[in-house]
Amino acid sequence: TSGLYVLTTDAAGCRQSIQENYEGKIVAAKSISELKDAMIECYNNIENIRDNSSLIRMNATKRFDSVKNQKKIKDFIFY
């Protein structure tokens, strides 16, 4: 399996999900021109993105381990 390059906005919660320019691109919320430019940049760099897809997935699974996250939530609730 491979990781996905993400285009997201700079809204709270979204921007913390990726490492900019490595795992994806962060654009201003509601900025059509920035989104368009980011999409064109992805298209023009598709080979680099594909080459990094395995590393992107590996980083994502480290940060978003559901078992660890469930434990953190449980520990927080039942502190």
Side-chain angles (χ1 to χ4, degrees):
T1 58
S2 62
L4 297 175
Y5 191 85
V6 176
L7 298 178
T8 189
T9 66
D10 60 0
C14 297
R15 64 181 169 258
Q16 291 85 359
S17 301
I18 65 163
Q19 295 176 34
E20 173 116 41
N21 297 320
Y22 174 69
E23 296 173 326
K25 186 79 174 167
I26 300 171
V27 300
K30 300 181 182 180
S31 175
I32 294 171
S33 63
E34 281 189 38
L35 178 59
K36 177 192 76 155
D37 292 343
M39 292 172 76
I40 291 169
E41 184 179 331
C42 286
Y43 178 80
N44 290 334
N45 294 301
I46 194 68
E47 290 304 318
N48 290 334
I49 292 169
R50 284 185 184 143
D51 291 345
N52 289 325
S53 65
S54 295
L55 294 173
I56 292 170
R57 173 149 175 94
M58 184 177 68
N59 287 335
T61 55
K62 285 180 186 176
R63 283 199 313 267
F64 299 105
D65 182 314
S66 62
V67 174
K68 282 185 195 176
N69 291 341
Q70 288 172 4
K71 183 178 180 340
K72 286 179 186 178
I73 292 169
K74 183 179 174 184
D75 291 347
F76 177 77
I77 293 172
F78 298 109
Y79 173 69

Coordinates of all heavy atoms in Angstrom, one line a residue:
T1 N 0.8 -1.2 0.0 CA 0.0 0.0 0.0 C 0.9 1.3 0.0 O 2.0 1.2 0.4 CB -0.9 0.0 1.2 OG1 -0.1 0.0 2.4 CG2 -1.9 -1.1 1.2
S2 N 0.3 2.3 -0.4 CA 1.0 3.6 -0.5 C 0.3 4.7 0.2 O -0.9 4.7 0.4 CB 1.3 3.9 -1.9 OG 0.1 4.1 -2.6
G3 N 1.0 5.7 0.5 CA 0.5 6.9 1.1 C 0.0 7.9 0.1 O 0.4 7.8 -1.1
L4 N -0.9 8.8 0.5 CA -1.4 9.8 -0.4 C -0.9 11.2 -0.1 O -0.8 11.6 1.0 CB -2.9 9.8 -0.4 CG -3.6 8.5 -0.7 CD1 -5.1 8.7 -0.5 CD2 -3.4 8.2 -2.2
Y5 N -0.5 11.9 -1.1 CA -0.1 13.3 -1.0 C -1.4 14.0 -0.8 O -2.4 13.8 -1.6 CB 0.6 13.7 -2.3 CG 1.2 15.0 -2.3 CD1 2.5 15.1 -1.8 CD2 0.6 16.2 -2.7 CE1 3.2 16.4 -1.7 CE2 1.2 17.4 -2.7 CZ 2.5 17.5 -2.2 OH 3.2 18.7 -2.2
V6 N -1.5 14.9 0.2 CA -2.7 15.6 0.5 C -2.7 17.1 0.3 O -1.7 17.7 0.5 CB -3.0 15.4 2.1 CG1 -4.2 16.1 2.5 CG2 -3.1 13.9 2.4
L7 N -3.8 17.5 -0.3 CA -4.0 19.0 -0.4 C -5.0 19.3 0.7 O -6.1 18.8 0.7 CB -4.5 19.4 -1.8 CG -3.6 19.1 -3.0 CD1 -4.3 19.4 -4.3 CD2 -2.3 19.7 -2.8
T8 N -4.7 20.3 1.5 CA -5.5 20.6 2.6 C -5.5 22.1 2.9 O -4.6 22.8 2.3 CB -5.2 19.8 3.9 OG1 -6.2 20.1 4.9 CG2 -3.9 20.3 4.5
T9 N -6.4 22.6 3.7 CA -6.4 24.1 4.0 C -5.7 24.3 5.3 O -5.4 23.4 6.1 CB -7.8 24.6 4.1 OG1 -8.4 24.0 5.3 CG2 -8.6 24.3 2.9
D10 N -5.4 25.6 5.5 CA -4.7 26.0 6.8 C -5.7 26.1 8.0 O -5.3 26.7 9.0 CB -3.9 27.3 6.6 CG -4.8 28.4 6.2 OD1 -6.0 28.3 6.0 OD2 -4.2 29.5 6.0
A11 N -6.9 25.5 7.8 CA -7.8 25.5 8.9 C -7.3 24.7 10.1 O -6.5 23.7 9.9 CB -9.2 25.0 8.4
A12 N -7.7 25.0 11.3 CA -7.2 24.3 12.5 C -7.6 22.8 12.3 O -8.6 22.4 11.9 CB -7.9 24.8 13.7
G13 N -6.6 21.9 12.7 CA -6.8 20.5 12.6 C -6.3 19.9 11.3 O -5.7 18.8 11.3
C14 N -6.5 20.6 10.2 CA -6.0 20.1 8.9 C -4.5 20.2 8.8 O -3.8 19.3 8.3 CB -6.7 20.8 7.8 SG -8.5 20.6 7.8
R15 N -4.0 21.4 9.1 CA -2.6 21.7 8.8 C -1.6 20.9 9.7 O -0.5 20.7 9.3 CB -2.3 23.2 9.0 CG -2.5 23.7 10.4 CD -2.2 25.2 10.4 NE -2.7 25.7 11.7 CZ -3.8 26.4 11.9 NH1 -4.6 26.7 10.8 NH2 -4.2 26.9 13.1
Q16 N -2.1 20.4 10.8 CA -1.3 19.5 11.7 C -1.2 18.1 11.2 O -0.3 17.3 11.6 CB -1.9 19.5 13.1 CG -1.7 20.8 13.8 CD -2.9 21.8 13.5 OE1 -3.8 21.5 12.8 NE2 -2.9 22.9 14.2
S17 N -1.9 17.8 10.2 CA -2.0 16.4 9.7 C -0.8 16.0 8.7 O -0.6 14.9 8.5 CB -3.3 16.1 9.0 OG -4.4 16.3 9.8
I18 N -0.2 17.0 8.1 CA 0.8 16.7 7.1 C 2.1 17.6 7.4 O 2.1 18.6 8.0 CB 0.3 17.0 5.7 CG1 0.0 18.5 5.5 CG2 -0.9 16.2 5.4 CD1 -0.1 18.9 4.1
Q19 N 3.2 17.1 6.8 CA 4.4 17.8 6.7 C 4.4 18.5 5.4 O 4.4 17.9 4.3 CB 5.6 16.9 6.8 CG 5.7 16.2 8.1 CD 6.9 15.2 8.1 OE1 7.9 15.4 7.5 NE2 6.7 14.1 8.8
E20 N 4.3 19.8 5.4 CA 4.2 20.6 4.2 C 5.3 20.3 3.2 O 6.4 20.2 3.5 CB 4.2 22.1 4.5 CG 4.2 23.0 3.3 CD 3.0 23.9 3.1 OE1 2.5 24.4 4.1 OE2 2.5 24.0 2.0
N21 N 4.9 20.2 1.9 CA 5.7 20.0 0.7 C 6.3 18.6 0.7 O 7.1 18.3 -0.2 CB 6.8 21.0 0.6 CG 6.2 22.4 0.3 OD1 5.2 22.5 -0.4 ND2 6.7 23.4 1.0
Y22 N 6.1 17.8 1.7 CA 6.6 16.4 1.7 C 5.4 15.4 1.6 O 5.4 14.6 0.8 CB 7.4 16.1 2.9 CG 7.8 14.7 3.1 CD1 8.7 14.1 2.2 CD2 7.2 13.9 4.0 CE1 9.1 12.8 2.2 CE2 7.6 12.5 4.1 CZ 8.5 12.0 3.2 OH 8.9 10.7 3.3
E23 N 4.4 15.6 2.5 CA 3.3 14.7 2.5 C 2.1 15.4 1.9 O 1.0 14.8 1.7 CB 2.9 14.3 4.0 CG 4.0 13.5 4.6 CD 3.7 13.3 6.1 OE1 3.1 14.2 6.8 OE2 4.0 12.2 6.6
G24 N 2.2 16.7 1.6 CA 1.1 17.4 1.0 C 1.4 18.9 0.9 O 2.5 19.3 1.2
K25 N 0.3 19.6 0.6 CA 0.4 21.0 0.4 C -0.7 21.7 1.2 O -1.8 21.2 1.2 CB 0.3 21.4 -1.1 CG 0.5 22.8 -1.4 CD 1.9 23.1 -1.4 CE 2.2 24.5 -1.9 NZ 3.5 25.0 -1.7
I26 N -0.4 22.7 1.9 CA -1.4 23.5 2.7 C -1.7 24.8 1.9 O -0.8 25.5 1.6 CB -0.9 23.8 4.1 CG1 -0.5 22.5 4.8 CG2 -1.9 24.6 4.9 CD1 0.2 22.7 6.2
V27 N -3.0 25.0 1.7 CA -3.4 26.2 1.0 C -4.3 27.0 1.9 O -4.9 26.5 2.9 CB -4.1 25.9 -0.3 CG1 -3.1 25.2 -1.3 CG2 -5.3 25.1 -0.1
A28 N -4.5 28.3 1.7 CA -5.4 29.1 2.5 C -6.8 28.7 2.3 O -7.2 28.3 1.1 CB -5.2 30.6 2.0
A29 N -7.6 28.7 3.3 CA -9.0 28.3 3.2 C -9.7 29.2 2.3 O -9.5 30.4 2.3 CB -9.6 28.3 4.6
K30 N -10.5 28.7 1.5 CA -11.4 29.4 0.5 C -10.6 30.1 -0.6 O -11.1 31.0 -1.3 CB -12.3 30.4 1.2 CG -13.2 29.8 2.2 CD -14.1 30.8 2.9 CE -15.0 30.1 3.9 NZ -15.8 31.0 4.6
S31 N -9.3 29.7 -0.8 CA -8.5 30.3 -1.8 C -8.5 29.4 -3.1 O -7.7 28.4 -3.1 CB -7.1 30.6 -1.4 OG -6.3 31.1 -2.5
I32 N -9.3 29.7 -4.0 CA -9.4 28.9 -5.2 C -8.1 29.0 -6.0 O -7.6 28.0 -6.5 CB -10.6 29.3 -6.1 CG1 -11.9 29.0 -5.3 CG2 -10.6 28.6 -7.4 CD1 -13.1 29.6 -6.0
S33 N -7.5 30.1 -6.0 CA -6.2 30.3 -6.8 C -5.1 29.5 -6.2 O -4.3 28.8 -6.9 CB -5.8 31.7 -7.0 OG -5.6 32.3 -5.7
E34 N -5.0 29.4 -4.9 CA -4.0 28.6 -4.2 C -4.2 27.1 -4.4 O -3.3 26.4 -4.7 CB -3.9 28.9 -2.7 CG -3.1 30.2 -2.4 CD -2.8 30.3 -0.9 OE1 -2.5 29.3 -0.3 OE2 -2.9 31.5 -0.4
L35 N -5.5 26.7 -4.4 CA -5.8 25.3 -4.6 C -5.5 24.9 -6.0 O -4.9 23.9 -6.3 CB -7.3 25.1 -4.3 CG -7.8 23.7 -4.6 CD1 -7.0 22.6 -3.7 CD2 -9.3 23.6 -4.3
K36 N -5.8 25.8 -7.0 CA -5.5 25.5 -8.4 C -4.0 25.4 -8.6 O -3.6 24.4 -9.2 CB -6.1 26.6 -9.3 CG -5.7 26.5 -10.7 CD -6.0 27.7 -11.5 CE -4.9 28.7 -11.2 NZ -4.5 29.7 -12.1
D37 N -3.2 26.3 -8.0 CA -1.8 26.2 -8.1 C -1.2 25.0 -7.5 O -0.3 24.3 -8.1 CB -1.1 27.5 -7.5 CG -1.4 28.7 -8.3 OD1 -1.9 28.7 -9.4 OD2 -1.2 29.8 -7.7
A38 N -1.8 24.6 -6.4 CA -1.3 23.3 -5.7 C -1.6 22.1 -6.5 O -0.8 21.2 -6.6 CB -1.9 23.2 -4.3
M39 N -2.8 22.1 -7.1 CA -3.2 21.0 -8.0 C -2.2 20.9 -9.2 O -1.8 19.8 -9.6 CB -4.6 21.1 -8.4 CG -5.6 20.9 -7.3 SD -7.3 21.3 -7.7 CE -7.7 19.8 -8.6
I40 N -1.9 22.0 -9.8 CA -1.0 22.0 -11.0 C 0.4 21.6 -10.5 O 1.0 20.8 -11.2 CB -1.0 23.4 -11.6 CG1 -2.3 23.7 -12.3 CG2 0.2 23.5 -12.6 CD1 -2.5 25.2 -12.7
E41 N 0.8 22.0 -9.4 CA 2.1 21.6 -8.8 C 2.2 20.1 -8.6 O 3.2 19.4 -8.9 CB 2.4 22.3 -7.5 CG 3.8 22.1 -7.0 CD 4.0 22.8 -5.7 OE1 3.4 23.9 -5.5 OE2 4.8 22.3 -4.8
C42 N 1.1 19.5 -8.1 CA 1.0 18.1 -7.9 C 1.1 17.4 -9.3 O 1.9 16.4 -9.4 CB -0.3 17.7 -7.2 SG -0.4 18.0 -5.5
Y43 N 0.4 17.8 -10.2 CA 0.4 17.2 -11.5 C 1.8 17.3 -12.1 O 2.3 16.3 -12.7 CB -0.6 18.0 -12.4 CG -0.6 17.4 -13.8 CD1 -1.3 16.3 -14.1 CD2 0.1 18.1 -14.9 CE1 -1.3 15.7 -15.4 CE2 0.0 17.6 -16.2 CZ -0.7 16.4 -16.4 OH -0.6 15.9 -17.7
N44 N 2.5 18.4 -12.0 CA 3.8 18.5 -12.6 C 4.9 17.7 -11.8 O 5.9 17.5 -12.4 CB 4.2 20.0 -12.6 CG 3.4 20.8 -13.6 OD1 2.9 20.2 -14.6 ND2 3.2 22.1 -13.4
N45 N 4.6 17.3 -10.6 CA 5.6 16.6 -9.8 C 5.1 15.2 -9.4 O 5.5 14.7 -8.4 CB 5.9 17.4 -8.5 CG 6.6 18.7 -8.8 OD1 7.7 18.7 -9.4 ND2 6.0 19.8 -8.4
I46 N 4.2 14.6 -10.2 CA 3.6 13.3 -9.9 C 4.6 12.2 -9.7 O 4.4 11.4 -8.8 CB 2.6 13.0 -11.0 CG1 1.7 11.8 -10.4 CG2 3.2 12.6 -12.3 CD1 0.8 12.2 -9.3
E47 N 5.7 12.2 -10.4 CA 6.7 11.2 -10.2 C 7.4 11.3 -8.9 O 7.6 10.2 -8.2 CB 7.8 11.2 -11.3 CG 7.2 10.8 -12.7 CD 6.6 9.4 -12.7 OE1 7.2 8.5 -12.1 OE2 5.6 9.3 -13.4
N48 N 7.7 12.5 -8.4 CA 8.3 12.6 -7.1 C 7.3 12.2 -6.0 O 7.7 11.6 -5.0 CB 8.7 14.1 -6.8 CG 9.9 14.4 -7.7 OD1 10.7 13.6 -8.0 ND2 10.1 15.7 -7.9
I49 N 6.1 12.5 -6.2 CA 5.0 12.2 -5.2 C 4.9 10.6 -5.2 O 4.8 10.1 -4.1 CB 3.7 12.8 -5.6 CG1 3.8 14.4 -5.3 CG2 2.5 12.2 -4.8 CD1 2.6 15.2 -5.9
R50 N 4.9 10.0 -6.3 CA 4.8 8.5 -6.3 C 6.0 7.9 -5.7 O 5.9 6.9 -4.9 CB 4.7 8.0 -7.8 CG 3.3 8.2 -8.4 CD 3.2 7.6 -9.7 NE 1.9 7.9 -10.3 CZ 1.7 8.2 -11.6 NH1 2.8 8.2 -12.4 NH2 0.6 8.4 -12.1
D51 N 7.2 8.4 -5.9 CA 8.4 7.9 -5.3 C 8.4 8.0 -3.8 O 8.9 7.1 -3.1 CB 9.6 8.6 -5.8 CG 9.9 8.3 -7.3 OD1 9.4 7.4 -7.8 OD2 10.7 9.1 -7.9
N52 N 7.7 9.0 -3.3 CA 7.6 9.2 -1.8 C 6.4 8.5 -1.1 O 6.3 8.6 0.1 CB 7.6 10.7 -1.5 CG 9.0 11.3 -1.7 OD1 10.0 10.7 -1.6 ND2 8.9 12.6 -2.2
S53 N 5.6 7.9 -1.9 CA 4.3 7.4 -1.3 C 4.5 6.4 -0.2 O 3.8 6.4 0.7 CB 3.4 6.8 -2.4 OG 4.0 5.7 -3.0
S54 N 5.5 5.5 -0.3 CA 5.7 4.5 0.7 C 6.2 5.2 2.0 O 5.7 4.8 3.1 CB 6.8 3.5 0.3 OG 6.3 2.8 -0.8
L55 N 7.0 6.2 1.9 CA 7.5 7.0 3.1 C 6.3 7.8 3.7 O 6.2 7.9 4.9 CB 8.6 7.9 2.7 CG 9.9 7.2 2.3 CD1 10.9 8.2 1.8 CD2 10.5 6.4 3.5
I56 N 5.5 8.3 2.9 CA 4.3 9.1 3.3 C 3.4 8.2 4.2 O 3.0 8.5 5.2 CB 3.6 9.7 2.2 CG1 4.4 10.8 1.5 CG2 2.2 10.3 2.6 CD1 3.9 11.3 0.2
R57 N 3.2 7.0 3.7 CA 2.3 6.0 4.4 C 3.0 5.6 5.7 O 2.3 5.6 6.7 CB 2.1 4.8 3.5 CG 1.3 3.7 4.4 CD 0.4 2.9 3.5 NE -0.1 1.8 4.3 CZ -1.3 1.9 4.9 NH1 -2.0 3.0 4.9 NH2 -1.7 0.9 5.6
M58 N 4.3 5.4 5.7 CA 5.0 5.0 6.9 C 4.9 6.1 8.0 O 4.5 5.8 9.1 CB 6.4 4.7 6.6 CG 7.2 4.2 7.8 SD 8.9 3.8 7.4 CE 9.6 5.4 7.1
N59 N 5.1 7.3 7.6 CA 4.9 8.4 8.5 C 3.5 8.5 9.1 O 3.3 8.8 10.2 CB 5.4 9.7 7.9 CG 6.9 9.8 7.7 OD1 7.6 9.1 8.5 ND2 7.3 10.6 6.8
A60 N 2.5 8.4 8.2 CA 1.1 8.5 8.6 C 0.8 7.4 9.6 O 0.1 7.7 10.6 CB 0.2 8.4 7.4
T61 N 1.2 6.2 9.4 CA 0.8 5.1 10.3 C 1.5 5.3 11.6 O 1.0 4.9 12.6 CB 1.2 3.7 9.7 OG1 2.6 3.7 9.3 CG2 0.3 3.4 8.5
K62 N 2.7 5.9 11.7 CA 3.3 6.2 12.9 C 2.5 7.2 13.7 O 2.3 7.1 14.9 CB 4.7 6.7 12.7 CG 5.7 5.7 12.3 CD 7.1 6.3 12.2 CE 8.1 5.3 11.6 NZ 9.4 5.9 11.4
R63 N 2.1 8.3 13.0 CA 1.4 9.4 13.7 C -0.1 9.0 14.0 O -0.7 9.6 15.0 CB 1.4 10.6 12.9 CG 2.7 11.3 12.9 CD 2.6 12.8 12.5 NE 1.9 12.9 11.2 CZ 2.5 13.0 10.0 NH1 3.7 12.8 9.9 NH2 1.7 13.2 9.0
F64 N -0.7 8.2 13.2 CA -2.1 8.0 13.4 C -2.4 6.5 13.7 O -3.3 5.9 13.1 CB -2.9 8.4 12.1 CG -2.7 9.8 11.8 CD1 -1.9 10.3 10.8 CD2 -3.4 10.8 12.5 CE1 -1.7 11.6 10.5 CE2 -3.2 12.1 12.3 CZ -2.4 12.5 11.3
D65 N -1.7 6.0 14.6 CA -1.9 4.6 15.1 C -3.2 4.6 15.9 O -3.3 5.2 17.0 CB -0.7 4.2 16.0 CG -0.9 2.7 16.5 OD1 -1.9 2.4 16.9 OD2 0.1 2.0 16.4
S66 N -4.2 3.9 15.4 CA -5.6 3.9 16.1 C -5.5 3.3 17.5 O -6.2 3.8 18.4 CB -6.6 3.2 15.2 OG -6.2 1.8 15.1
V67 N -4.7 2.3 17.8 CA -4.6 1.8 19.1 C -4.1 2.8 20.1 O -4.6 3.0 21.2 CB -3.8 0.5 19.1 CG1 -3.6 -0.1 20.5 CG2 -4.4 -0.6 18.2
K68 N -3.0 3.4 19.7 CA -2.4 4.5 20.5 C -3.4 5.6 20.8 O -3.5 6.1 21.9 CB -1.1 5.0 19.9 CG 0.1 4.2 20.0 CD 1.3 5.0 19.4 CE 2.5 4.1 19.1 NZ 3.6 4.9 18.5
N69 N -4.0 6.0 19.7 CA -5.0 7.1 19.9 C -6.1 6.8 20.7 O -6.6 7.6 21.5 CB -5.4 7.6 18.5 CG -4.3 8.3 17.7 OD1 -3.3 8.7 18.3 ND2 -4.5 8.4 16.4
Q70 N -6.6 5.6 20.6 CA -7.7 5.1 21.5 C -7.3 5.1 23.0 O -8.1 5.5 23.8 CB -8.3 3.8 21.1 CG -9.0 3.8 19.8 CD -9.4 2.4 19.3 OE1 -9.1 1.4 19.9 NE2 -10.0 2.3 18.1
K71 N -6.1 4.7 23.2 CA -5.6 4.6 24.6 C -5.4 6.1 25.1 O -5.8 6.3 26.3 CB -4.2 3.9 24.6 CG -3.7 3.8 26.1 CD -2.4 3.1 26.1 CE -1.8 2.9 27.5 NZ -2.2 3.8 28.5
K72 N -4.9 7.0 24.3 CA -4.8 8.4 24.8 C -6.2 9.0 25.1 O -6.3 9.6 26.1 CB -4.2 9.2 23.7 CG -2.7 9.0 23.5 CD -2.1 9.9 22.4 CE -0.7 9.5 22.1 NZ -0.1 10.3 21.0
I73 N -7.2 8.7 24.3 CA -8.5 9.2 24.6 C -9.1 8.6 25.8 O -9.6 9.3 26.7 CB -9.4 8.9 23.4 CG1 -9.0 9.8 22.2 CG2 -10.9 9.2 23.7 CD1 -9.7 9.4 20.9
K74 N -8.9 7.3 26.0 CA -9.4 6.6 27.2 C -8.7 7.1 28.4 O -9.4 7.4 29.4 CB -9.2 5.1 27.0 CG -9.7 4.2 28.1 CD -9.4 2.8 27.9 CE -9.8 1.9 29.1 NZ -9.5 0.5 28.9
D75 N -7.4 7.3 28.4 CA -6.7 7.8 29.5 C -7.1 9.2 29.8 O -7.2 9.6 31.0 CB -5.1 7.8 29.2 CG -4.6 6.4 29.2 OD1 -5.3 5.4 29.6 OD2 -3.4 6.2 28.7
F76 N -7.4 10.0 28.8 CA -7.9 11.4 29.1 C -9.2 11.4 29.7 O -9.5 12.1 30.7 CB -7.9 12.1 27.7 CG -8.4 13.5 27.9 CD1 -7.6 14.5 28.4 CD2 -9.7 13.9 27.5 CE1 -8.1 15.8 28.5 CE2 -10.2 15.1 27.6 CZ -9.4 16.1 28.1
I77 N -10.1 10.6 29.2 CA -11.5 10.5 29.8 C -11.5 10.0 31.2 O -12.2 10.5 32.0 CB -12.4 9.7 28.8 CG1 -12.6 10.5 27.5 CG2 -13.8 9.5 29.5 CD1 -13.3 9.7 26.4
F78 N -10.8 8.9 31.4 CA -10.8 8.3 32.7 C -9.7 8.6 33.6 O -9.3 7.9 34.5 CB -10.9 6.7 32.5 CG -12.1 6.3 31.8 CD1 -12.1 5.9 30.5 CD2 -13.4 6.4 32.3 CE1 -13.2 5.5 29.8 CE2 -14.5 6.0 31.7 CZ -14.4 5.6 30.4
Y79 N -9.1 9.8 33.4 CA -8.0 10.3 34.2 C -8.2 10.3 35.7 O -9.0 10.5 36.4 CB -7.5 11.6 33.7 CG -6.4 12.3 34.5 CD1 -5.2 11.7 34.6 CD2 -6.7 13.4 35.3 CE1 -4.2 12.3 35.3 CE2 -5.7 13.9 36.1 CZ -4.4 13.4 36.1 OH -3.4 13.9 36.8

